[in-house]
C-alpha cells in the first residue's frame, strides 16, 4: 500500500514523505532486477536515465502544449500561424 501525502498542497517534509512512500516499490524493483542478473550499478544508472528521459518528455510536452495554445489563439483571432 502506498502512503498518501499527509495533507494537500505544500507542507514541510512533503518530498521526504513521498520518498518514504516510494521506498518499498523502489526496493522491489531493484531486488527484482538484481535477481535476474543486472548489477546494482546498471539498475541505478538505468533509473537515472529513465528519470532524465521522463524530464525531457515532460518539457517537450509542455512546449508542444504552449505551441498549440498559441496556434489556437491565433486561429480564434483570425491570424495565420
Amino acid at each position: 500500500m502506498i502512503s498518501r501525502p499527509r495533507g494537500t498542497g505544500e507542507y514541510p517534509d512533503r518530498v521526504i514523505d513521498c520518498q518514504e512512500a516510494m521506498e518499498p516499490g523502489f526496493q522491489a524493483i531493484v531486488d527484482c532486477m538484481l535477481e535476474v542478473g543486472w548489477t546494482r550499478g546498471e539498475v541505478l544508472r538505468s533509473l537515472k536515465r529513465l528519470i532524465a528521459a521522463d524530464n525531457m518528455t515532460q518539457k517537450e510536452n509542455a512546449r508542444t502544449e504552449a505551441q498549440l495554445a498559441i496556434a489556437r489563439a491565433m486561429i480564434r483571432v483570425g491570424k495565420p500561424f
Side-chain angles (χ1 to χ4, degrees), residues 1 8 10 15 17 23 25 29 33-34 36 44-45 62 75:
M1 181 81 156
T8 59
E10 292 295 319
V15 173
D17 288 348
E23 179 70 22
I29 289 170
M33 298 300 287
L34 294 174
V36 298
L44 296 179
R45 280 190 301 277
I75 289 169

Side-chain angles (χ1 to χ4, degrees), residues 8-81:
T8 59
E10 292 295 319
Y11 61 84
D13 296 333
R14 183 177 172 99
V15 173
I16 292 170
D17 288 348
C18 181
Q19 182 179 337
E20 289 174 355
M22 206 180 307
E23 179 70 22
F26 169 77
Q27 285 302 324
I29 289 170
V30 172
D31 290 345
C32 287
M33 298 300 287
L34 294 174
E35 284 176 21
V36 298
W38 298 102
T39 67
R40 183 171 295 280
E42 290 167 330
V43 172
L44 296 179
R45 280 190 301 277
S46 296
L47 286 169
K48 287 178 186 177
R49 288 182 177 191
L50 285 171
I51 291 166
D54 183 68
N55 285 337
M56 288 178 64
T57 298
Q58 295 302 317
K59 287 178 186 176
E60 186 62 31
N61 286 348
R63 188 170 65 118
T64 300
E65 286 298 321
Q67 290 171 340
L68 286 171
I70 291 166
R72 287 184 194 114
M74 292 177 78
I75 289 169
R76 276 195 297 271
V77 296
K79 292 189 177 183
F81 56 96

